[in-house]
Amino acid sequence: MLKQILNRLPKKPHKSSENRDGGSSASSAIASTSSRSNDIASNWTGKNATSPRGLNSSSDSGVNNGNKHPLKLDSKVSEAQMVLQYEALPSFRDVSNSEKQNLFIKKLNLCCVVFDFTDPTKHLKEKDIKRQTLVELVDYVTSANGKFSETAIQEIVKMISANLFRPLTNQSRENKIVDGFDLEEDEPMMDPSWPHLQIVYEFLLRFVASPETDAKLAKRYIDHSFVTRLLDLFDSEDPREREYLKTVLHRIYGKFMVHRPFIRKGINNIFFRFIFETEKHNGIAELLEIMGSIINGFALPLKEEHKLFLVRALIPLHKPKCIPMYHQQLSYCITQFVEKDCKLADTVIRGLLKYWPITNSSKEVMFLGELEEVLEATQAPEFQRCMVILFHQIARCISSSHFQVAERALFLWNNDHIENLIKQNRKVILPIILPALERNSKNHWSQAVQSLTLNVRKIFLDADPELFEECLIKFQEEEAREQETKMKHELIWKRLEDMAAIKSSSKEAVFVSKNS
C-alpha cells in the first residue's frame, strides 16, 4: 500500500543549481508550504494540514536531491491511510553514527506535518509522536559536533517554514477600541498549537545559535523572504510567541551580518505602517526591544541612516493612542540615541513637544518621565537651544489641574543634573515658569502639588534672590494689569446688560461703543 502511494507522487526535475544562487531557497520552501497545505487539507485533518513525502520510506526520507518544492500527495489518499503512515521513527541512540544524518532528515520530514489543534480530540497519538520527535531534534541540534550540510540546512528551513509560517488569527482585534489601557486589560489570545510551536521555535533558536551552523551556507536558506515571514509573525497575539521571535530575530541579526540592513528596514516598514496607517500591531514593544539592543551597538559617529530612523520612526511612535503598550521600550531607544550623540537632544526634545498630548493626562505623565531621562543625558549647548519652548510646556504642566501631571513636572527639580542646567539658565527660565509657580502655591487644589511648588520656588529664591524679586514684581504688575482688564470687561458686560434690560420692551438693537 505504501509503495502504491509513493508511486503516485509526481516527480519534479532537479534544481540543485538554485540552491547556490544566493537567496531564493527559503522563499521557495515557504511558498511550497502554502501549496502543500491546500493539497493535503482534505485528506489529512480537513484544515491547515501538511505532510512530508515518504514519511516511513528509507529511500525517500533522506536527501532531498535539491528539490525545494515538496511533492504533492495524491488527492485519492484517504485520511485513514495517512494516519497509518504517521509512525514514530527510531531514536538517534538506536542507530549508528553513519545513519544519524539520514535519520535526522527523516525526522525533519516527519515534523513537516501540521495538525489541526482547534479540535483537541483529533489525532492525539500522531500529535504526541510529532512532539517527541521535535524534542529529539532539539537535542540533536544542541549536541551536534559537526557542521550541518547544505541538504540538512535546506530540510531544517523547510520544516521550520511549514510549522511557523501560517496566517495569524487577529480578527478579534478589529472590534477593539484602539486604546492602550483597553488592550492591556484584554486577555491575549493563546495559540492552541503552542505545545508544538514552542519546540519548533526552540529548535530554530538553537540552530541559529549553534557554532555548527555555517552562516555563509545558511544565509542561502535563511534569506530575505524567511526574515520577512518571521517579521510578519510579530503581529501574533500570543505573547509567548512574540518573546521567542524577539530572541530568534536578535540572534539572526547577530549571526547573519549580510541581513542586518534588511532587518532594520523591515522593522522600519512595520513601524511606518503602524504609525501612519493602522495603529494596530501586537509586536511593537518586542521590535523596539530588538532595536534598543541594536542602537546600543551602533558605532560612532552615527550614520545618517540611523539618525533618519530616529526622526522618521522613533519620534513619531509617540503619536498612537496605544503608546502605553510600548512606551518603556520606546523611551529606552530614544535615550540610547541621546547618550550615543548628545547633539541629538535638541531634535528629540522638539520631537516630543511636537507630539505632546493635550487631553490625555496619563500619556502626559509618561512624556514627562521620558523627558527627564532625555534631559539627564543632555548637555548645556543642546539644552539652551530648546529651553524656551520646553519650559513653556513645563509651565503648562505645572499649572495642570491633574495632580499627577503637576507633580511629575515638579519632580524634574529632584534631578541634580536637570536642576543645575536650570540654575545655569535661570535668567531665561524663571520668567517663564514663575507665574505657574505663584498661581500653584496659592490656588492649586492639591496639597502635595502646593508643597512641591513651594520647594521649587525656594530653589530659585536661594539661587538668585535679586532675579527672583525682579521676576516677582514683574509678575505682580502683569497680574494687576490683567485684573484691571478683567474689571473693564465686566463693566462693559454690565452696561450691556443694563441697556438691554431698558430696551427689552422695544425691538431696537442695542449698541455699545468700544470706549464707552
Side-chain angles (χ1 to χ4, degrees):
M1 175 64 72
L2 180 59
K3 205 166 186 182
Q4 291 173 352
I5 294 169
L6 295 174
N7 287 335
R8 290 185 186 141
L9 300 179
K11 307 226 181 234
K12 293 190 178 180
H14 297 306
K15 296 182 182 178
S16 56
S17 59
E18 290 183 18
N19 294 338
R20 296 172 174 80
D21 66 359
S24 66
S25 57
S27 174
S28 302
I30 294 163
S32 68
T33 300
S34 177
S35 63
R36 196 168 54 214
S37 295
N38 295 331
D39 293 330
I40 303 171
S42 60
N43 296 320
W44 184 236
T45 62
K47 202 186 281 187
N48 193 27
T50 60
S51 172
R53 57 194 178 93
L55 294 176
N56 294 322
S57 167
S58 58
S59 59
D60 289 344
S61 296
V63 178
N64 198 25
N65 295 324
N67 284 342
K68 291 184 285 184
H69 299 284
L71 304 177
K72 297 178 183 178
L73 286 174
D74 194 314
S75 60
K76 295 179 182 178
V77 179
S78 69
E79 183 176 334
Q81 288 171 319
M82 283 297 304
V83 172
L84 285 173
Q85 290 184 67
Y86 206 92
E87 295 177 1
L89 292 165
S91 170
F92 285 109
R93 294 189 299 271
D94 299 334
V95 298
S96 62
N97 289 335
S98 60
E99 295 176 355
K100 283 184 178 179
Q101 177 77 5
N102 240 5
L103 182 61
F104 179 58
I105 302 293
K106 290 180 184 180
K107 286 180 181 287
L108 287 170
N109 276 314
L110 186 75
C111 290
C112 283
V113 175
V114 178
F115 294 98
D116 177 15
F117 279 82
T118 56
D119 185 352
T121 64
K122 212 170 185 181
H123 303 307
L124 295 178
K125 178 189 170 185
E126 288 76 16
K127 288 175 183 176
D128 191 56
I129 290 172
K130 180 180 176 181
R131 190 185 64 79
Q132 293 291 348
T133 307
L134 284 169
V135 171
E136 288 179 22
L137 288 173
V138 171
D139 292 340
Y140 182 85
V141 169
T142 305
S143 59
N145 54 7
K147 295 290 183 185
F148 293 108
S149 67
E150 183 169 357
T151 300
I153 292 172
Q154 183 180 1
E155 294 300 321
I156 286 169
V157 172
K158 185 179 78 172
M159 187 277 286
I160 291 166
S161 301
N163 284 276
L164 299 187
F165 301 148
R166 67 211 189 276
L168 295 175
T169 53
N170 288 335
Q171 294 176 356
S172 60
R173 190 180 58 188
E174 297 298 323
N175 300 322
K176 294 177 184 176
I177 298 171
V178 185
D179 183 275
F181 297 104
D182 287 345
L183 290 175
E184 267 186 347
E185 289 171 3
D186 285 331
E187 287 293 326
M189 191 190 76
M190 299 301 185
D191 196 315
S193 61
W194 183 247
H196 284 189
L197 283 176
Q198 180 180 14
I199 310 173
V200 176
Y201 273 115
E202 189 65 32
F203 175 83
L204 173 57
L205 179 59
R206 298 200 186 193
F207 169 68
V208 172
S210 173
E212 305 303 335
T213 302
D214 186 350
K216 290 183 180 178
L217 191 60
K219 72 180 180 182
R220 301 176 190 175
Y221 303 94
I222 298 180
D223 59 4
H224 286 181
S225 177
F226 186 91
V227 169
T228 300
R229 292 292 190 95
L230 214 57
L231 285 169
D232 289 342
L233 292 174
F234 273 89
D235 201 18
S236 168
E237 286 196 8
D238 195 324
R240 303 168 299 181
E241 181 168 18
R242 298 199 303 270
E243 193 65 25
Y244 258 107
L245 282 164
K246 179 184 72 178
T247 309
V248 168
L249 188 64
H250 196 207
R251 290 296 181 92
I252 290 175
Y253 187 91
K255 186 152 191 147
F256 299 92
M257 292 186 67
V258 68
H259 291 336
R260 289 182 180 182
F262 183 82
I263 291 172
R264 291 197 301 270
K265 185 178 178 182
I267 295 174
N268 238 343
N269 291 339
I270 292 173
F271 288 161
F272 290 152
R273 197 175 303 113
F274 170 71
I275 296 163
F276 302 110
E277 292 180 13
T278 64
E279 287 198 13
K280 296 175 184 177
H281 197 283
N282 292 307
I284 299 299
E286 287 80 9
L287 289 169
L288 283 169
E289 277 190 59
I290 296 170
M291 285 310 305
S293 181
I294 291 172
I295 294 164
N296 192 274
F298 282 163
L300 295 175
L302 290 173
K303 294 180 181 178
E304 195 62 30
E305 170 204 343
H306 304 327
K307 293 179 184 178
L308 285 174
F309 171 69
L310 169 67
V311 174
R312 294 179 179 176
L314 289 185
I315 291 176
L317 274 171
H318 290 85
K319 177 187 172 185
K321 294 177 183 177
C322 57
I323 187 174
M325 302 296 290
Y326 57 82
H327 181 260
Q328 184 180 351
Q329 293 84 355
L330 176 61
S331 180
Y332 177 77
C333 290
I334 294 284
T335 309
Q336 285 290 302
F337 265 107
V338 179
E339 289 178 355
K340 285 275 181 184
D341 185 354
C342 61
K343 292 180 181 178
L344 292 171
D346 177 48
T347 302
V348 167
I349 291 170
R350 289 179 184 275
L352 279 173
L353 294 174
K354 178 182 177 182
Y355 294 104
W356 200 275
I358 298 172
T359 58
N360 191 332
S361 299
S362 59
K363 192 173 175 182
E364 203 165 4
V365 171
M366 287 190 296
F367 271 53
L368 286 164
E370 183 178 351
L371 180 63
E372 180 175 353
E373 292 182 16
V374 172
L375 286 173
E376 200 167 0
T378 302
Q379 301 305 312
E382 286 69 42
F383 180 79
Q384 288 166 0
R385 288 195 193 102
C386 61
M387 62 184 176
V388 173
I389 186 173
L390 171 63
F391 277 87
H392 275 294
Q393 181 59 58
I394 291 175
R396 285 192 286 272
C397 292
I398 291 171
S399 300
S400 173
S401 58
H402 195 290
F403 77 99
Q404 287 180 324
V405 175
E407 276 184 347
R408 195 65 191 81
L410 292 164
F411 281 152
L412 291 173
W413 275 263
N414 290 346
N415 186 299
D416 292 337
H417 178 69
I418 297 173
E419 185 183 335
N420 288 332
L421 287 173
I422 293 170
K423 283 180 178 178
Q424 291 167 18
N425 300 278
R426 58 186 178 271
K427 290 184 178 179
V428 176
I429 294 171
L430 183 57
I432 296 172
I433 66 164
L434 184 66
L437 294 175
E438 289 300 308
R439 292 186 186 112
N440 258 19
S441 61
K442 297 171 184 175
N443 304 321
H444 203 283
W445 65 269
S446 170
Q447 198 65 41
V449 171
Q450 283 191 18
S451 177
L452 286 168
T453 301
L454 290 172
N455 291 341
V456 171
R457 190 177 181 278
K458 188 174 185 302
I459 289 172
F460 281 111
L461 183 60
D462 293 344
D464 195 335
E466 291 180 6
L467 176 64
F468 187 88
E469 191 64 31
E470 180 185 331
C471 291
L472 184 60
I473 291 170
K474 191 177 289 186
F475 165 71
Q476 289 170 346
E477 289 174 353
E478 287 176 0
E479 281 279 280
R481 281 196 296 271
E482 284 181 15
Q483 193 65 26
E484 186 180 344
T485 303
K486 185 179 177 182
M487 288 178 67
K488 283 182 180 179
H489 288 164
E490 287 177 355
L491 285 171
I492 291 171
W493 278 109
K494 184 71 171 65
R495 190 174 293 112
L496 181 61
E497 288 170 0
D498 292 343
M499 293 175 69
I502 293 170
K503 298 191 175 184
S504 60
S505 58
S506 69
K507 294 183 179 180
E508 295 180 33
V510 178
F511 296 98
V512 179
S513 64
K514 187 176 180 181
N515 299 320
S516 62

